[in-house]
Amino acid sequence: MKSAVFILILLSFVCYSQKKYPEKYFQSPLDIPLVLAGTFGELRSNHFHAGVDIKTQGKEGLKVYAVAGGYVSRIKIQQYGYGKAIYITHPNGYTSVFGHLSKFKKEIESFIQTIQYKKESYETGNIYPKKDQFTIKKGEVIAFSGDTGGSGAPHLHFEIRDTKTEKIINPLIFGLQVPDALAPTIRTLKVYPLSEGARIYQQNNSATIPFKKTAKRKYTAERVFANGLIGFGINVYDQLNGAQNKNGIYSLEMLVNGKRHYYHDVETFSFSESKFLNLLIDYEYYKKYKRKIQKLFKEEKNKLSIYESLINHGKVNIQEGLNYVIEIIAKDYQGNQSILKIPIIGQSNNAILKKEKDTTNFKIIANNFQKFTEKNVTIAFPKNTFYADTFIDFKVDAGIAQVHMPVIPLDKSYTLTFNVSKYAALEKEQLYIANLEYPKYPRYVYTKKKDSTFYTTTKTLGTYTLRKDSLSPELKMLYIVNNQWVSKAKTLKLKISDSDSGINNWRATIDGKWVLMRYNHKKNILTYNFNDKKLFGSKHIFKIVVSDNVGNTSERSLTFFRKI
């Protein structure tokens, strides 16, 4: 009897610990065959991809359907990020999210335009309609696909979240059908010494290990001679049927002599932990070579919840005189897998070549607030900005501040301050702080100005300087000239650009009243839709003022005629 009770308790524990998701509750958000341009949990810059990117056959304007019944719980329009996005909360405890839309269905589009005109802003921030304001039925057209926000091409960004926790869940778990018969491709293998005494080929440096494909979906690496505590990392991507995109994988596993030593997958995660991606990857390698190596061991400060079944945090202790077989298994969501085998020979440390320790005049104690000043430039790091104690380089030469190299991930932002007391008032107006990661293309960083100091907060180490922008933005009207009749035109467009600090804002009016101009920052085109507002009379005056990030402005105005 007692054993039966124990079995029931054990079974209930297993059922509880393995979350069950409804597989037939949600339908597809599009009525075309689904091909992905991006997978869930894909490694992006400083974050995991929070949904799937569904290709829309290179077009905008495809119907987007509600995947289940519910109500519109949030609407957000932003210039970057998800662009035009809509959130639908469903009664089963989940919320679906649709991003990069071109427009919403008529009632929602009208509702949001009213808010935009009231705020006199294209960006709305988060709008939370009342629960009964927009009830939605499963299969109802809620929007149309587009290319708004930080999209690189037309597609639909689709997410499913837990309504209570806001944790994002892989949409494929809910039964979204995406053909995929292709296994992941492994491109690079690295091995790392993880203690002072560890050696790889008699060195205390990381090494790239050659390997070859020995069979379909199978790879074998050259023998590795090592000793002490080591770890592995691979660069790997996945492809799906019908697409050339190099996507992310679903899971990584490592076996040591047949026993699981490491495992993680991207079933679910929270936005707050996404930043720890920079500890999952070899961040320095990524910044230098633009290729992400996923570590198969867990760093001490890494708080990702994606790990399970870790032995010694995935670190492998190689002992002299023993042989090991490491197997790294990369899988996509459909279970297609590639296996990389690595033979390891435990070798004694006869010749010891240690990695040189970095030492500079600027030592970071991670748990302390620290501040350094060089030649009118100050850097200030809050406690725990860095994940570990380290030395950084900091020098200022000819007004250019080198704050180490951008190869160390930061947990928090630090403050970079320039003393500008030597500049005249007019010069200060035209100055801004620029990042010089690409010296030919200085990038404006948000600059806060006080009388004698300019400062910015950033999570990126690297090179910064003060730049001067005395040029106003360039404006060019498209397809229209002064005093033209435009009765058949659907839109009014102009091209805007700024060669230095970049476009900051714009304000357009027709007959003195604010009008909504949609900005396509990829093509630098502003567009007004004549259907937005009814115009009275036939003669109209259009005026626009465009400002860059230091306040230089340009204006254009013209008269046009349109039949009532």
Side-chain angles (χ1 to χ4, degrees), residues 378-550:
T378 299
I379 49 176
F381 299 101
K383 291 180 181 180
N384 300 315
T385 297
F386 289 80
Y387 291 110
D389 296 353
T390 188
F391 289 92
I392 65 168
D393 292 311
F394 176 42
K395 60 183 178 181
V396 180
D397 186 20
I400 297 175
Q402 176 73 53
V403 187
H404 205 68
M405 298 290 290
V407 295
I408 302 175
L410 303 183
D411 187 71
K412 298 178 181 178
S413 295
Y414 69 97
T415 302
L416 171 68
T417 304
F418 285 81
N419 187 310
V420 295
S421 56
K422 69 177 183 179
Y423 294 98
L426 179 59
E427 285 183 293
K428 289 179 184 178
E429 288 181 10
Q430 297 176 336
L431 288 173
Y432 66 94
I433 301 173
N435 177 283
L436 298 180
E437 182 177 1
Y438 304 102
K440 289 185 178 180
Y441 305 100
R443 178 173 56 84
Y444 170 88
V445 293
Y446 182 65
T447 305
K448 300 175 184 178
K449 298 185 176 183
K450 291 186 176 180
D451 289 340
S452 60
T453 59
F454 289 1
Y455 67 98
T456 190
T457 54
T458 177
K459 289 180 75 173
T460 304
L461 301 173
T463 309
Y464 295 85
T465 192
L466 291 174
R467 290 269 302 184
K468 183 179 180 181
D469 180 4
S470 58
L471 301 176
S472 297
E474 296 182 6
L475 313 183
K476 181 183 178 182
M477 301 300 304
L478 300 176
Y479 321 119
I480 187 173
V481 295
N482 197 38
N483 293 317
Q484 182 177 338
W485 280 88
V486 291
S487 299
K488 294 183 179 180
K490 294 181 179 179
T491 59
L492 187 154
K493 297 187 177 189
L494 68 152
K495 190 163 188 174
I496 64 174
S497 62
D498 188 84
S499 59
D500 206 322
S501 62
I503 300 296
N504 181 31
N505 59 57
W506 57 90
R507 178 182 172 81
T509 60
I510 293 178
D511 303 332
K513 295 182 179 179
W514 184 88
V515 291
L516 176 63
M517 301 290 291
R518 300 160 179 87
Y519 182 40
N520 184 327
H521 59 268
K522 301 143 196 165
K523 297 180 179 178
N524 294 322
I525 290 177
L526 281 169
T527 302
Y528 168 71
N529 191 320
F530 282 114
N531 290 329
D532 283 356
K533 288 287 182 180
K534 185 176 180 180
L535 300 178
F536 297 94
S538 59
K539 181 180 179 180
H540 306 282
I541 297 174
F542 170 79
K543 182 178 179 181
I544 187 165
V545 180
V546 180
S547 302
D548 64 20
N549 279 300
V550 299

Side-chain angles (χ1 to χ4, degrees), residues 197 199 201-203 226-227 320 346-353:
R199 297 292 179 269
Y201 300 118
Q202 302 297 341
Q203 300 183 44
N227 188 276
E320 181 184 346
Q347 185 182 64
S348 62
N349 295 325
N350 297 323
I352 298 176
L353 180 59

Side-chain angles (χ1 to χ4, degrees), residues 6 42 46 53 62 92 112 134 145 187 235 331 376 433:
F6 173 77
E42 203 165 81
N46 300 313
D53 287 342
L62 271 63
N92 68 339
I112 210 71
F134 299 112
S145 67
R187 291 198 293 188
N235 174 259
K331 289 184 182 180
N376 294 320
I433 301 173

